[in-house]
């Protein structure tokens, strides 16, 4: 690289985002890592990564973080939208406020970041926007309606964005992880349990919660390092793919979703999750 490129990555306090920030810094990028809990990013600070406090449900927080990076660097070359969470539960049981919070975090906060960063990328006729979606944006698991709705929306958003910004030299990339060994699954399982107790869905939901917990505490899942490496590859290769499907179960489940009749896939997925 003839000039150090500036990276802004959200969700950098743990898991995939934390490891991706480390790898990008080691590669030679100047990295700004954003998260709600800035104190959890102190290990990144020792590596020269700049911690930023950002809450994707708070527009002022987003604008302040971007303004800080621009004031320091004058540019943002690569935006990695990694932050997000999953709150499982039957549609009837999950409060609409919780559903809105998922959309604010997983889609609208992300979209605000994109809108803020795009003028700088257009001006320099270069940029890469990496949206961390999921296989959950291409198939649906049991009791995960609102989470899947956010990821399906992110897929459509990213496809449209990719076409819009291509004339300006900007690439839009989707990373679609499968089962990854992070806290995401155990948190989702606990949310499913909490929303289902003493409801008509309790029997099936609690069984699904137990299966999720067993899966996400097992040794079968993919290490976050694999996804972090894919992120680095997507921003360093000359011609990135529009999509990278990676991690436990992702390719096989997406293939089965495409070829199996709907009711047959429903039965399969209800046994898995």
């Amino acid at each position: 690289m003839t000039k150090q490129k500036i990276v802004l990555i959200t969700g950098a306090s743990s898991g995939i985002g934390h490891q991706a920030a480390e790898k990008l810094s080691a590669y030679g990028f100047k990295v700004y890592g954003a998260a709600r809990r800035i104190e959890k990013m102190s290990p990144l600070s020792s590596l020269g990564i700049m911690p930023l406090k950002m809450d994707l449900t708070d527009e002022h927080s987003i604008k302040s973080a971007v303004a800080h990076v621009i004031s320091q660097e004058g540019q943002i070359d690569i935006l990695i939208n990694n932050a997000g969470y999953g709150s499982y539960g039957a549609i009837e049981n999950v409060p609409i406020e919780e559903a809105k919070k998922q959309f604010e975090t997983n889609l609208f906060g992300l979209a605000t970041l994109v809108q803020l960063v795009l003028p700088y990328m257009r001006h320099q006729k270069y940029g890469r926007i990496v949206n961390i979606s999921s296989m959950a944006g291409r198939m649906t698991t049991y009791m995960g309606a609102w989470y899947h709705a956010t990821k399906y929306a992110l897929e459509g958003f990213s496809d449209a964005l990719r076409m819009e910004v291509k004339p300006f030299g900007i690439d839009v990339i989707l990373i679609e992880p499968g089962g990854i060994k992070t806290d995401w699954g155990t948190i989702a399982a606990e949310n499913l349990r909490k929303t289902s107790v003493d409801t008509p869905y309790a029997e099936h939901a609690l069984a699904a919660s137990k299966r999720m917990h067993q899966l996400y505490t097992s040794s079968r899942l993919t290490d976050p390092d694999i996804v972090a490496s894919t992120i680095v590859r997507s921003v360093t290769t000359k011609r990135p793919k529009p999509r990278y499907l990676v991690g436990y179960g992702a390719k096989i489940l997406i293939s089965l979703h495409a070829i199996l009749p709907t009711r047959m896939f429903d039965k399969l997925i209800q046994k898995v999750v």
Side-chain angles (χ1 to χ4, degrees):
M1 294 181 293
T2 56
K3 182 180 179 183
Q4 191 177 37
K5 289 186 169 57
I6 308 303
V7 175
L8 172 57
I9 179 169
T10 65
S13 62
S14 64
I16 293 168
H18 193 281
Q19 294 196 28
E22 287 185 347
K23 287 180 178 292
L24 289 161
S25 179
Y27 191 88
F29 294 107
K30 186 167 186 180
V31 179
Y32 285 80
R36 287 183 302 126
R37 297 174 62 182
I38 197 167
E39 71 278 2
K40 292 187 69 177
M41 292 187 287
S42 55
L44 294 178
S45 299
S46 65
L47 300 174
I49 297 165
M50 310 297 168
L52 286 172
K53 186 174 179 61
M54 184 191 295
D55 182 346
L56 287 172
T57 66
D58 180 353
E59 186 176 351
H60 176 74
S61 169
I62 298 169
K63 288 181 175 179
S64 294
V66 171
H68 175 75
V69 179
I70 294 301
S71 70
Q72 296 297 307
E73 310 295 344
Q75 64 192 76
I76 295 174
D77 301 289
I78 297 163
L79 171 63
I80 302 171
N81 289 305
N82 168 71
Y85 79 106
S87 184
Y88 271 49
I91 293 170
E92 187 177 347
N93 294 340
V94 176
I96 292 299
E97 284 305 309
E98 169 59 25
K100 288 180 178 179
K101 182 181 176 184
Q102 279 194 84
F103 270 94
E104 286 292 341
T105 302
N106 294 358
L107 183 68
F108 294 122
L110 176 156
T112 300
L113 262 175
V114 168
Q115 289 182 334
L116 292 170
V117 167
L118 274 177
Y120 300 98
M121 291 184 173
R122 281 192 296 99
H123 176 73
Q124 64 191 24
K125 296 181 173 59
Y126 172 84
R128 290 199 180 173
I129 297 171
V130 182
N131 291 333
I132 309 303
S133 180
S134 169
M135 67 177 179
R138 296 172 65 179
M139 51 152 282
T140 304
T141 54
Y142 194 42
M143 299 281 178
W146 292 114
Y147 174 66
H148 287 277
T150 67
K151 291 303 185 181
Y152 268 75
L154 179 57
E155 294 272 328
F157 173 91
S158 300
D159 285 340
L161 180 65
R162 184 177 61 253
M163 292 183 282
E164 290 175 12
V165 300
K166 183 180 179 181
F168 304 107
I170 302 167
D171 293 306
V172 177
I173 301 150
L174 277 161
I175 309 287
E176 301 167 320
I180 308 300
K181 196 171 183 58
T182 67
D183 291 337
W184 180 94
T186 53
I187 293 169
E190 179 59 18
N191 286 337
L192 175 55
R193 187 193 66 78
K194 287 180 179 178
T195 60
S196 305
V197 173
D198 296 326
T199 75
Y201 301 90
E203 179 183 353
H204 298 292
L206 294 178
S209 174
K210 184 178 180 180
R211 289 193 296 271
M212 284 183 71
H213 189 272
Q214 289 172 340
L215 175 61
Y216 278 90
T217 54
S218 73
S219 60
R220 289 179 286 168
L221 301 186
T222 299
D223 191 280
D225 181 76
I226 301 298
V227 185
S229 295
T230 303
I231 292 171
V232 174
R233 187 163 72 251
S234 76
V235 300
T236 55
T237 188
K238 185 176 181 180
R239 186 177 172 84
K241 298 177 183 178
R243 281 179 166 79
Y244 292 83
L245 190 61
V246 60
Y248 176 81
K251 291 180 180 178
I252 183 64
L253 284 172
I254 296 304
S255 297
L256 289 172
H257 183 257
I259 64 176
L260 289 179
T262 299
R263 288 190 178 89
M264 188 178 294
F265 187 81
D266 287 351
K267 289 180 179 178
L268 168 67
I269 212 68
Q270 283 180 275
K271 293 178 182 179
V272 176
V273 177

